[in-house]
């Protein structure tokens, strides 16, 4: 029987993978934001790509979390943190389509 409260993190490589994944997703979202900002600031569809990228990235991180947890791999904790961070950033970036709607 495992104690689910005590979580020993013995895979530092999983933390590095999760952080790298989060940084790559954020960089892709930043690229989408740059395209929106410099090409067409009135495009709601273009503005919506930024939170959509972060949402998909967060969901993929949670799928990875679940698979690692099912396999009883201790690295799932880092992936769960990456998923929550990406979803939190997605909520902040929901203001971008709102601003595009207000400007049109």
């Amino acid at each position: 029987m495992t104690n689910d409260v005590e979580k020993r993190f013995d895979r530092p490589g999983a933390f590095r993978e999760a952080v790298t994944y989060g940084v790559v997703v954020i960089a892709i979202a930043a690229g989408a934001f740059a395209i929106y900002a410099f090409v067409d600031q009135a495009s709601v569809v273009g503005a919506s790509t930024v939170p959509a990228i972060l949402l998909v990235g967060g969901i993929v991180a949670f799928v990875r979390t679940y698979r690692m947890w099912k396999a009883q791999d201790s690295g799932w904790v880092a992936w769960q943190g990456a998923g929550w961070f990406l979803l939190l950033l997605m909520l902040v970036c929901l203001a971008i389509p709102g601003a595009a709607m207000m400007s049109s």
Side-chain angles (χ1 to χ4, degrees), residues 1 16 19 31 36 41 69 84 92-93 101:
M1 185 166 142
R16 193 173 318 117
V19 169
Y36 155 73
Q41 292 182 352
W69 175 76
W84 282 119
V92 172
C93 289
M101 286 173 37

Side-chain angles (χ1 to χ4, degrees), residues 12-96:
F15 178 75
R16 193 173 318 117
E17 290 173 14
V19 169
T20 303
Y21 173 78
V23 168
V24 167
V25 170
I26 292 170
I28 292 170
F33 177 75
I35 291 171
Y36 155 73
F38 293 121
V39 174
D40 187 16
Q41 292 182 352
S43 172
V44 177
V45 174
S48 298
T49 59
V50 177
I53 290 169
L54 293 170
L55 175 67
V56 170
I59 290 171
V60 169
F62 281 131
V63 168
R64 180 88 187 253
T65 299
Y66 179 73
R67 288 182 179 169
M68 291 179 85
W69 175 76
K70 263 317 226 189
Q72 296 183 350
D73 188 356
S74 65
W76 67 269
V77 178
W79 283 94
Q80 186 178 27
W84 282 119
F85 182 75
L86 290 172
L87 287 184
L88 178 68
L89 193 58
M90 184 265 314
L91 287 175
V92 172
C93 289
L94 280 176
I96 298 170

